[in-house]
Structures are given as structure tokens and as C-alpha cells.
Amino acid sequence: MVDKIAYPVQLLQPDGRRVLRPEYTNLVRDIGPDELRGLYEDLVVTRRIDVEATALQRQGELGLWAPMLGQEAAQVGSARALRPDDYAFVSYREHAVAYCRGVDPAEMTRMWRGTAHSGWDPHAVKVTNPAIVVGSQGLHATGYAMGAHLDGAEIATIAYFGDGATSQGDIAEALGFSMSFNAPVVFFCQNNQWAISEPVHLQSPVPIAQRAAGYGMPAVRVDGNDVLAVLAVTRQATQRAREGSGPTFIEAVTYRMGPHTTSDDPTRYRSSAETAEWKARDPIDRMHRLLDREGLLDEAFLTRVRTTADEIAARLRSGAVGAPTPPPLSVFDHVYASEHPLLEEERAEYAAYLAAVTDTEEALS
């Protein structure tokens, strides 16, 4: 048996040639020409979303953005493995997951623009809003998975996080708790090589997936720039969860081509040679070469994909620029599911402050 950690699962080489690994190839045997084109479109569209949002931040329309450039395959492949009732708990970089789960692009930037606590209704699309506290979503996903299991729901829950989050206590607690209670959760680590400016080898001298062994959890390492391989391993892991076989740890080996966030300058801590090496493994180029090899590319298809990407980018931009400015006191809305005395006290204090500011401005005018 091939070591799933020492030899990451790969079904598609960077030059577009397929790799035969029967255990995983069989998991994506249903992915025919139309599905391959659909995956390619997802990759192109989500990159376009990311580029547009980054431009919006540079133009002063967003306060911040966490680019996912280079990580599209890890997100699209895993998200497309989910069923409608499965629930995704994300960090702050999973814009492609949100898109694949049906989030309206016009709602994707609201939190980043500072006009709302969150962008969308998580229950409507079964994906949480961005979690800025690193690693916290691992515990949320584990708790939700346990509750769903106790309710008899045959679903899978997936928690997305980066390599840096594996150094957080919350992820360690989630891994331990999920194994103790056989929670139907998939831990999906996007190892993009850098936790802000810290290289992954400073966090772990061994593959991150090996950490799962300490909890008795099965783990698999996958080429995170190979959308077919990611789809296959995530299908396998979510099926284990649904059938009651417990949690799985997936390490998707990928690379963050851009900055950690738009406030970061990656040229200060990594070389252009390193970036160029990973650019040769670009997930979109890889799928493009596969489609070309298999005679699935034509100009009409490529034009349609570009048009779709531009239309979605335009919707994202209009949603950001046109987002209404909320009234100041709305900052207290939706913090808790029910009334909370401390929050009501803070709301009253803030209302009094706003009233005093208004009175002062009127007196001075």
C-alpha cells in the first residue's frame, strides 16, 4: 500500500497528465467531460473573485482581504465533494468554498468592508462566515458534528484551517475531542507553506498530517493543487464521517501565491525563486492542460468561462461598493441569539454617547 503521507495523493500532474492510483481514481470515475469543464470554470471564476476583491481593497473599498491565489484547487475540490446538507466551517480565506456552496458574490465582501458582522446567512448555504480567530472553527465544527450525530443526521462536517492553525490549542482540542466521541468531522488543513511570515518547517519538522497519528486519527496528504485528487480524498473522508467511522485529517499541500492579507508584503520573507517554482504547479494551468490533452477545450467554452467570471466579479464589486452604511447601533444586533443584559447595557451606553455627540455638533453649528 502506498504511504498516504510520505507520498501525497496525486491524480493529475502539473503538465496535465493523469496519474493512476486506483483507490482514488475510482472515487472520481463519475467526473466526465462536463464535470471536468465545470471544475475548470470554478477554478477560473474563484480566482477572478479573489483578484477583484484584492483590487477593491487596493482602491480603498475594502478594509482588508485575505487572498487565496494559488489555493483554488484545494478549496474547489473539497467543496464540490460536499453534499447539500453537509456543513463547512471556514477560516478567513475560503472564498472559493463560499462560492461553491452558493454564497452570493455580492455578499462576500460585507465583513471585509466593515458594514456587517457577517456577509450571509450560514444556515441557508451550510457554510459559516469567516472566522478571524485562528483555529476556533475546529471546535465549532466538532461540536456541530457531534450534535448532528446525536440527532441522527447522516451528514459530514468539514473544518478548514491553515498550517499555522495547527499550532493553536483549539485545533489540538478539536482533534482530541473528535476522536474521543467519534465525531463525523473532516479536518481540512490547507498547508500553504507560510503562517504569515513563518515557514511551515518551523512549526513542524514532519508533515503536518503526521500529527493526526497522535490522536489515533486516520490522515491523508494530498496534492492541494490537483483538484481531482482533492475531490477524491474529500469524498472518501466525508463518506467515512457519514457512515459513522469518525473523523479524518486531510493535509492539502498547496501554496499561497499572494500575501497573507492585503496588509502583508511577502517579498520581505520569501524568495521570488520559491514563488516561481510553485507557479509552475498552478492549479488552473494544470486543469487547462488536462482539458487540452483530452480535447475538451475550444474557444467558445473559454469565452463563456471568461464572461461568467467577469459577470460574477462585477456582481461582487457592485455588492461591495453599493453596500449600505449600517446605523451605528446595529453593531449590537445578532451578537447573541437572545437578549443579553450586558449587551443591552453596552447598547444603552453607546446610544447615550451618540446622543451627546449629536447634541454637541448641533450646539457648535
Side-chain angles (χ1 to χ4, degrees), residues 119-191:
W120 56 83
D121 177 0
H123 296 300
V125 290
K126 300 295 190 294
V127 58
T128 60
N129 282 275
I132 304 300
V133 179
V134 176
S136 62
Q137 69 275 16
L139 290 171
H140 303 156
T142 300
Y144 187 90
M146 288 179 60
H149 178 70
L150 292 172
D151 286 343
E154 295 182 359
I155 69 165
T157 300
I158 186 168
Y160 289 91
F161 51 92
D163 47 290
T166 62
S167 296
Q168 293 290 333
D170 283 0
I171 293 297
E173 292 169 7
L175 293 172
F177 213 81
S178 65
M179 279 302 297
S180 295
F181 293 93
N182 204 45
V185 59
V186 176
F187 294 96
F188 193 93
C189 174
Q190 293 178 83
N191 175 6

Side-chain angles (χ1 to χ4, degrees), residues 280-300:
R281 307 173 194 175
D282 186 280
I284 297 180
D285 292 346
R286 189 178 306 203
M287 273 298 287
H288 191 282
R289 291 167 185 145
L290 171 68
L291 295 178
D292 190 37
R293 280 179 173 274
E294 301 192 355
L296 300 176
L297 280 184
D298 57 67
E299 193 55 40

Side-chain angles (χ1 to χ4, degrees), residues 298-318:
D298 57 67
E299 193 55 40
F301 167 68
L302 293 173
T303 299
R304 180 177 64 79
V305 170
R306 286 192 294 266
T307 300
T308 300
D310 287 343
E311 290 173 350
I312 290 174
R315 180 162 181 77
L316 180 137
R317 175 172 285 273
S318 64

Side-chain angles (χ1 to χ4, degrees), residues 76-357:
V76 169
S78 57
R80 289 304 184 196
L82 304 178
R83 295 179 181 174
D85 287 342
D86 293 338
Y87 215 114
F89 287 75
V90 299
S91 62
Y92 44 75
R93 203 183 303 278
E94 282 71 43
H95 317 304
V97 174
Y99 171 76
C100 290
R101 294 298 282 172
V103 173
D104 185 345
E107 298 179 336
M108 287 185 179
T109 59
R110 290 178 180 173
M111 188 197 78
W112 303 101
R113 188 173 170 86
T115 59
H117 287 306
S118 57
W120 56 83
D121 177 0
H123 296 300
V125 290
K126 300 295 190 294
V127 58
T128 60
N129 282 275
I132 304 300
V133 179
V134 176
S136 62
Q137 69 275 16
L139 290 171
H140 303 156
T142 300
Y144 187 90
M146 288 179 60
H149 178 70
L150 292 172
D151 286 343
E154 295 182 359
I155 69 165
T157 300
I158 186 168
Y160 289 91
F161 51 92
D163 47 290
T166 62
S167 296
Q168 293 290 333
D170 283 0
I171 293 297
E173 292 169 7
L175 293 172
F177 213 81
S178 65
M179 279 302 297
S180 295
F181 293 93
N182 204 45
V185 59
V186 176
F187 294 96
F188 193 93
C189 174
Q190 293 178 83
N191 175 6
N192 65 16
Q193 311 304 312
W194 292 92
I196 310 182
S197 59
E198 182 178 285
V200 67
H201 65 79
L202 288 181
Q203 296 191 78
S204 179
V206 299
I208 288 176
Q210 285 190 12
R211 293 185 174 187
Y215 301 89
M217 185 181 299
V220 58
R221 226 173 171 223
V222 62
D223 183 339
N225 286 8
D226 176 352
V227 69
L228 288 179
V230 174
L231 176 63
V233 300
T234 310
R235 279 181 168 182
Q236 184 182 66
T238 53
Q239 184 55 35
R240 288 190 71 256
R242 295 187 199 100
E243 68 187 18
S245 297
T248 304
F249 191 101
I250 297 173
E251 178 190 353
V253 183
T254 183
Y255 192 76
R256 167 171 57 79
M257 294 295 295
H260 173 69
T261 69
T262 47
S263 64
D264 170 44
D265 177 8
T267 64
R268 298 182 60 148
Y269 54 80
R270 69 187 190 194
S271 68
S272 58
E274 176 184 300
T275 305
E277 179 183 352
W278 279 92
K279 174 61 179 171
R281 307 173 194 175
D282 186 280
I284 297 180
D285 292 346
R286 189 178 306 203
M287 273 298 287
H288 191 282
R289 291 167 185 145
L290 171 68
L291 295 178
D292 190 37
R293 280 179 173 274
E294 301 192 355
L296 300 176
L297 280 184
D298 57 67
E299 193 55 40
F301 167 68
L302 293 173
T303 299
R304 180 177 64 79
V305 170
R306 286 192 294 266
T307 300
T308 300
D310 287 343
E311 290 173 350
I312 290 174
R315 180 162 181 77
L316 180 137
R317 175 172 285 273
S318 64
V321 176
T325 300
L329 285 174
S330 68
V331 71
F332 297 99
D333 296 343
H334 311 300
V335 176
Y336 293 99
S338 57
E339 296 296 319
H340 190 286
L342 177 59
L343 194 70
E344 292 308 307
E345 180 182 339
E346 292 175 347
R347 187 199 302 269
E349 290 178 356
Y350 191 46
Y353 165 77
L354 292 174
V357 169

